[in-house]
């Protein structure tokens, strides 16, 4: 859970690594999660349509990526009852399967 809170706070420091994620796509993800975090602060509920749209965009970027990457998108409720959406991007499937540190981790709380 601490990793998600850190991802929520530190997404601005991300820079592309080894061409796995294109810089403009990384900027798109930063802006999307910044807006979602702002929605939470303003008490606006993040809907399933926005999450589904982002998941489709990320899947398209994964398919079109020069080196490819693996994504893990997860919507869940933490121990404190807060709902979260997180997106973790791994360099490849093996790193995702062994639970290695992701290249990027974006997280946002969802207002309910």
């Amino acid at each position: 859970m601490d990793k998600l809170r850190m991802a929520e706070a530190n997404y601005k420091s991300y820079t592309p690594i080894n061409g796995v994620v294109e810089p403009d796509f990384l900027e798109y993800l930063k802006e999307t999660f910044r807006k979602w975090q702002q929605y939470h602060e303003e008490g606006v509920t993040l809907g399933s349509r926005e999450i589904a749209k982002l998941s489709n965009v990320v899947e398209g970027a994964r398919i079109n990526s020069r080196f490819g990457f693996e994504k893990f998108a997860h919507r869940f409720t933490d121990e404190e009852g807060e709902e979260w959406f997180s997106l973790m991007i791994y360099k490849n499937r093996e790193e995702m399967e062994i639970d290695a540190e992701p290249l990027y981790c974006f997280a946002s709380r969802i207002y309910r």
Side-chain angles (χ1 to χ4, degrees):
M1 185 52 50
D2 291 333
K3 188 187 299 185
L4 290 178
R5 291 190 195 280
M6 286 174 36
E8 184 182 34
N10 295 326
Y11 70 93
K12 294 177 184 175
S13 65
Y14 293 152
T15 56
I17 299 173
N18 300 329
V20 175
V21 178
E22 299 293 330
D24 59 336
F25 183 62
L26 189 58
E27 287 300 319
Y28 168 78
L29 291 175
K30 288 180 188 179
E31 181 62 22
T32 299
F33 276 84
R34 185 196 61 76
K35 285 191 310 189
W36 288 2
Q37 291 165 6
Q38 188 175 4
Y39 290 165
H40 180 267
E41 292 168 7
E42 295 172 359
V44 176
T45 300
L46 177 62
S48 296
R49 186 180 339 182
E50 289 89 354
I51 291 173
K53 179 182 172 189
L54 178 71
S55 295
N56 288 338
V57 168
V58 172
E59 184 60 26
R62 185 187 75 77
I63 291 169
N64 292 324
S65 176
R66 180 173 171 200
F67 296 105
F69 61 84
E70 288 297 324
K71 69 173 179 74
F72 180 69
H74 188 57
R75 185 174 182 164
F76 64 96
T77 304
D78 68 10
E79 309 86 35
E80 299 165 4
E82 281 196 276
E83 196 167 345
W84 285 80
F85 176 75
S86 68
L87 172 68
M88 290 175 263
I89 296 177
Y90 295 87
K91 191 169 188 172
N92 55 41
R93 181 169 291 283
E94 292 78 29
E95 288 190 6
M96 187 172 81
E97 289 173 352
I98 64 169
D99 201 25
E101 192 72 23
L103 293 175
Y104 307 104
C105 180
F106 295 92
S108 180
R109 285 176 273 190
I110 300 172
Y111 181 79
R112 281 275 172 200

